[in-house]
Amino acid sequence: MSVKCGGASEEKVATENEQNLCDKVKSDLESQTKKTFTTYTAISYRTQVVAGTNYFIKVDVGDEHYHLRIFVPLPYTQNPASLDAYEAGHTAESELSYFSN
């Protein structure tokens, strides 16, 4: 299956790769939400190819689910992945879709 530039992929089950991306931005999320997450598990994800890749990842934080938008720049930039936006208050059944800041 090919993904056109700018289009979001189908939702897929999160793998170790998506969990690692979430782990890289966990401290940023905790800082922005002023919360500490003891449960923090990537559940599913979608990707969007831009000048790099946006990952939309559903994360179980215990009493609710967060949707994270993590930007992974192109490798040649040598820049790290970053938390671009998040949405709180989701459930396991919430649809994971595109969102902006």
Side-chain angles (χ1 to χ4, degrees), residues 1-3 9 20 24 31-33 35 46 51 54-55 60 67 71-73 82 87-88 90-91 93 96-98:
M1 177 178 103
S2 65
V3 176
S9 71
N20 288 338
K24 288 178 183 177
S31 173
Q32 291 179 32
T33 60
K35 295 182 179 182
R46 297 176 79 146
N54 281 322
Y55 282 81
D60 179 355
H67 290 182
F71 177 68
V72 178
S82 60
E87 292 182 338
H90 287 281
T91 66
E93 293 77 31
L96 182 60
S97 56
Y98 176 87

Side-chain angles (χ1 to χ4, degrees), residues 3 6-25 40 42-59 66-75 79-87 96-101:
V3 176
S9 71
E10 293 299 314
E11 190 167 345
K12 301 173 188 164
V13 175
T15 67
E16 186 177 341
N17 179 63
E18 288 74 39
Q19 183 64 54
N20 288 338
L21 285 173
C22 289
D23 291 343
K24 288 178 183 177
V25 302
Y40 188 78
I43 303 299
S44 61
Y45 75 101
R46 297 176 79 146
T47 57
Q48 177 191 33
V49 177
V50 289
T53 305
N54 281 322
Y55 282 81
F56 298 90
I57 306 177
K58 183 184 296 185
V59 178
Y66 275 61
H67 290 182
L68 309 184
R69 190 176 86 216
I70 300 171
F71 177 68
V72 178
L74 294 170
N79 292 325
S82 60
L83 177 64
D84 274 0
Y86 71 88
E87 292 182 338
L96 182 60
S97 56
Y98 176 87
F99 63 93
S100 58
N101 297 0

